[in-house]
Structures are given as structure tokens and as C-alpha cells.
Amino acid sequence: MPFQVKDLKKILYSVKTNKIYRLNIKSKKFELLINKHNITNHKTSKIKETKYSNSIAETLVKTDKKTKKIHYSNNSNNQVHSHESISYSTIISPMVGTFYRSPAPNEPPFVDQYDIVNKKQTVCIIEAMKLMNEIEAEVNGKVVEILVQDGEIVDCGQALMKVQKI
């Protein structure tokens, strides 16, 4: 079952009502990172007291500013992990249409995977009602993943590319 906007609304409501400060959900085709405190500036952070649950709303997260540690608490087992925080920006389709990586057939794509992009640089186009709409990068970074195939129909709000912020 694909992730839908109504699912995102439920998650955001739970994050707000349960005072969740950081949430990261990953699947094979989807990744969602919510970070109310800009912790991603740190190159490394240690996670203590990680407890897993069946419900997203049960996870409460607090930060310790002195030691720069993230404390996750829940109602299950405790585990300690160390990871490197990397900040990503997702380029999202603003409309329904056909996704194209290049300006015309038989021309090179605007960007390839692992290319460096600048803010306001055209990364793809979406054809909607015979109009070609240029989609621009919102941040300076490196394209780490292209989530849509060339010529594929995309929905409004669908993720197109994942860009690692530089």
C-alpha cells in the first residue's frame, strides 16, 4: 500500500499532539524525516535509550544540549546506536503530469545521480496539458537518488529526487 497524503496528515498530527521532536521513517520507496530541533548540524550524534513500539505516537524524543545526545524513550527494549546525521531535501512534484529528466528526446538529462546541483538549477521537467514546467532544486547539494523513471506519470506532492544538502 503506497504512502498517501492522508497518512502524512495523521503522522504530522501525532507529532504535534504528542510533542515528538524527531521522527525518521524509512521504507524501500519512501523516507520521512521530521526534525523540529535542527540536530542535523552535528556530524555525529549518539542515540541512547532507544525503545521500539508499534505506534509512532508512543515515541517521545528529548535532547540533552550539554552532551549533544538524543534520548528516545518508549515502552519497550533499550538499545544504543551510533549514527552519522545526514540532512536530505526532497524535490517534490508541484503538479500532476509526465516526468522527464531531459529537455527533449535524445538529449542528455538535466542531472544524473550523484551530480552536484545549485539552488534554482533546473533538475527535470513535468509536462502538464502540453506545457513543459521546469522543476528547480531548492537547495545546494548532491543528487543521491532519482525516485521516478523518465516518462513516468507523477502525482502532485510525489517525491521526485532526494538531494543531500551540502
Side-chain angles (χ1 to χ4, degrees), residues 9 25 39 86 100 116 160:
K9 287 181 181 179
I25 301 172
I39 298 172
I86 300 173
Y100 293 109
I116 302 296
L160 303 174

Side-chain angles (χ1 to χ4, degrees), residues 59-162:
T59 305
L60 297 175
V61 182
K62 297 180 182 176
T63 60
D64 184 357
K65 293 180 182 177
K66 292 180 184 176
T67 59
K68 294 182 184 174
K69 292 181 182 175
I70 307 168
H71 300 281
Y72 290 77
S73 60
N74 233 352
N75 296 333
S76 299
N77 303 346
N78 286 345
Q79 293 186 5
V80 177
H81 297 283
S82 177
H83 75 286
E84 186 173 319
S85 295
I86 300 173
S87 181
Y88 292 98
S89 175
T90 304
I91 299 172
I92 297 174
S93 174
M95 66 195 72
V96 175
T98 306
F99 172 85
Y100 293 109
R101 292 183 56 200
S102 59
N106 300 323
E107 287 193 24
F110 290 107
V111 293
D112 284 312
Q113 191 170 6
Y114 307 117
D115 282 356
I116 302 296
V117 294
N118 297 315
K119 190 173 186 176
K120 301 289 184 187
Q121 177 182 341
T122 301
V123 294
C124 65
I125 55 176
I126 295 181
E127 178 187 5
M129 298 183 350
K130 304 292 181 192
L131 293 174
M132 299 296 180
N133 302 284
E134 293 183 349
I135 308 301
E136 299 174 340
E138 297 174 357
V139 296
N140 296 329
K142 177 172 72 170
V143 177
V144 292
E145 191 173 359
I146 299 173
L147 304 168
V148 182
Q149 298 296 318
D150 196 39
E152 193 173 309
I153 305 281
V154 294
D155 289 326
C156 181
Q158 181 176 347
L160 303 174
M161 297 180 189
K162 193 160 80 169

Side-chain angles (χ1 to χ4, degrees), residues 11-25:
I11 290 172
L12 292 175
Y13 179 77
S14 293
V15 166
K16 183 179 178 182
T17 58
N18 295 298
K19 297 180 183 175
I20 297 172
Y21 298 103
R22 182 181 160 122
L23 176 68
N24 191 5
I25 301 172

